Amino acid sequence: MIEFALPWIFVLLPLPWLVRRLVPTAQQQEAALRVPASHLPFAETMTSTSAPGGVRLGAATLCWILLVLAAAQPRWIGEALSLPTSGRDLMLAVDISESMELADMRENGELVDRLTATRNVVREFVARRTGDRLGLILFGSEVYVHVPLTFDRATLARLLDEARIGFAGQATAIGDAIGLAVKRLRERPDHARVLVLMTDGANTAGNVDPVQAAELAAQTGVRIYTIGIGAEELEISGPLGFFNRTVNPSANLDEKTLQRIAELTGGGYFRARDSQELDGIYALLDELEPVEQDPQVYRPVRSLAHWPLALALLISLALAAQMLWPRLPTGLQPRWWARLRAGGRAG
């Protein structure tokens, strides 16, 4: 659909006609000296071969119409498109320390390592958050923002798949991860700042105590959901299949601190012993932090003003060339114009 931003500009269309009718015609001055045309050195080249006055008037009128059309700012309005509104600024903090390599998470009847189970569940969770701005923090001994807050959910999922154990060191800096998330989230508008922190251990590195970081998050308005990852029972085979024993691979998980972090910030603590429980946790998070349901609608707008302007310029150049070239000396005229004139005289 085409519309005009300034349709009132079209009232200027009759302006040249009004000027011609209302303004007196200039009195033509007679030349003080008359010279016979036969005595002029370029008498032949100055013979008028330009277009008739009616053609010139029509071309000038068309140029004026095109200029007014461009001034009215024509634009193409596309079909309505929906743009998801920003429901929340949601940061994911994923532990990639050495312990996340332990294969004790059961998924579809098979044991997979903790990071793989986390990736698979988070990928589906991210795909559902169509109205949120998402970010990703990876932490081990060091903490860094892997993906800044963005609406590009596909890129975030791909970069999470590329994360590897040991990228950030072997230990676990939970407090530093919370501190970095708070720093990034407080730069966003105060609407719904959420951090989902996933870890399988305790705070063993970093400069910030996790509880102190949670208190800072509460002051900043960041709500934190903590998830403890890892099975509670894992059978280890002995030599030659004998002396099998069952151990608790999550013995180092600091659930007390994770619960305290969630309480201070108004979030919640969840325990994920396998992929099914982890998936259920993220489904619950979708209920606790629902996605905005009313998307904004917009129509793409593309300006068309350059088309009438370009056409008016071409017509003006053609008219000027048609009027000026016949007045040039024969030696300065283009060859094709000279041949055209010669052909016309021969005819």
Side-chain angles (χ1 to χ4, degrees):
M1 179 179 66
I2 297 179
E3 69 173 24
F4 297 93
L6 303 174
W8 58 268
I9 291 289
F10 288 113
V11 301
L12 299 178
L13 281 175
L15 183 60
W17 178 80
L18 291 175
V19 171
R20 186 173 182 180
R21 292 294 302 268
L22 300 178
V23 177
T25 304
Q27 299 296 325
Q28 186 174 1
Q29 298 290 335
E30 292 291 337
L33 180 63
R34 295 181 179 272
V35 179
S38 58
H39 291 99
L40 293 176
F42 304 114
E44 180 180 355
T45 63
M46 294 183 63
T47 304
S48 175
T49 59
S50 60
V55 175
R56 293 198 300 271
L57 180 59
T61 302
L62 181 58
C63 285
W64 173 253
I65 294 174
L66 292 172
L67 291 175
V68 173
L69 182 64
Q73 298 183 22
R75 54 191 183 183
W76 172 262
I77 308 297
E79 297 295 330
L81 300 176
S82 61
L83 179 67
T85 58
S86 175
R88 281 157 181 74
D89 293 314
L90 196 153
M91 187 72 74
L92 303 172
V94 178
D95 185 352
I96 58 170
S97 61
E98 185 179 21
S99 58
M100 289 290 286
E101 196 172 13
L102 181 61
D104 65 341
M105 300 286 286
R106 191 165 296 278
E107 184 176 283
N108 299 324
E110 298 181 358
L111 290 177
V112 298
D113 64 80
R114 296 169 176 178
L115 182 57
T116 297
T118 300
R119 285 199 199 103
N120 295 339
V121 174
V122 170
R123 189 184 304 112
E124 297 179 4
F125 174 74
V126 166
R128 296 194 297 264
R129 309 300 298 190
T130 55
D132 293 339
R133 187 182 289 104
L134 302 175
L136 176 63
I137 290 176
L138 299 179
F139 67 97
S141 303
E142 305 295 332
V143 179
Y144 64 94
V145 177
H146 198 48
V147 181
L149 288 166
T150 178
F151 286 112
D152 191 349
R153 295 172 287 120
T155 297
L156 186 146
R158 185 178 71 251
L159 291 178
L160 176 60
D161 287 340
E162 296 174 357
R164 295 293 180 268
I165 301 294
F167 274 12
Q170 307 303 322
T172 308
I174 296 176
D176 287 2
I178 295 175
L180 181 58
V182 170
K183 179 180 179 181
R184 290 305 180 101
L185 288 170
R186 71 182 179 185
E187 298 174 356
R188 305 303 310 167
D190 185 10
H191 174 58
R193 304 165 180 169
V194 179
L195 168 63
V196 179
L197 185 141
M198 293 155 280
T199 183
D200 66 344
N203 189 73
T204 58
N207 301 315
V208 182
D209 180 76
V211 175
Q212 292 179 349
E215 293 173 350
L216 176 61
Q219 296 173 6
T220 314
V222 177
R223 191 161 47 253
I224 302 178
Y225 295 93
T226 55
I227 302 175
I229 301 174
E232 293 181 345
E233 292 184 358
L234 180 64
E235 186 175 348
I236 300 178
S237 300
L240 302 177
F242 297 100
F243 306 106
N244 295 346
R245 60 194 178 96
T246 301
V247 300
N248 180 8
S250 299
N252 294 327
L253 179 62
D254 189 357
E255 293 190 76
K256 182 178 179 180
T257 298
L258 296 179
Q259 290 173 350
R260 182 59 177 163
I261 292 171
E263 291 174 359
L264 287 172
T265 60
Y269 168 68
F270 305 96
R271 185 73 172 89
R273 300 168 182 83
D274 53 36
S275 294
Q276 185 175 359
E277 280 191 348
L278 186 58
D279 188 47
I281 290 170
Y282 278 101
L284 181 59
L285 287 176
D286 280 335
E287 298 178 7
L288 295 175
E289 303 290 343
V291 176
E292 187 72 29
Q293 297 297 324
D294 298 324
Q296 296 178 350
V297 177
Y298 79 102
R299 292 178 178 269
V301 179
R302 185 178 58 184
S303 175
L304 302 177
H306 57 282
W307 291 109
L309 281 176
L311 185 56
L313 177 62
L314 290 177
I315 294 175
S316 300
L317 292 176
L319 185 60
Q322 200 276 336
M323 295 176 63
L324 294 177
W325 283 353
R327 301 179 181 275
L328 294 176
T330 304
L332 298 179
Q333 292 181 2
R335 294 182 179 179
W336 62 268
W337 180 262
R339 288 196 297 268
L340 181 64
R341 291 188 59 200
R345 288 194 299 270

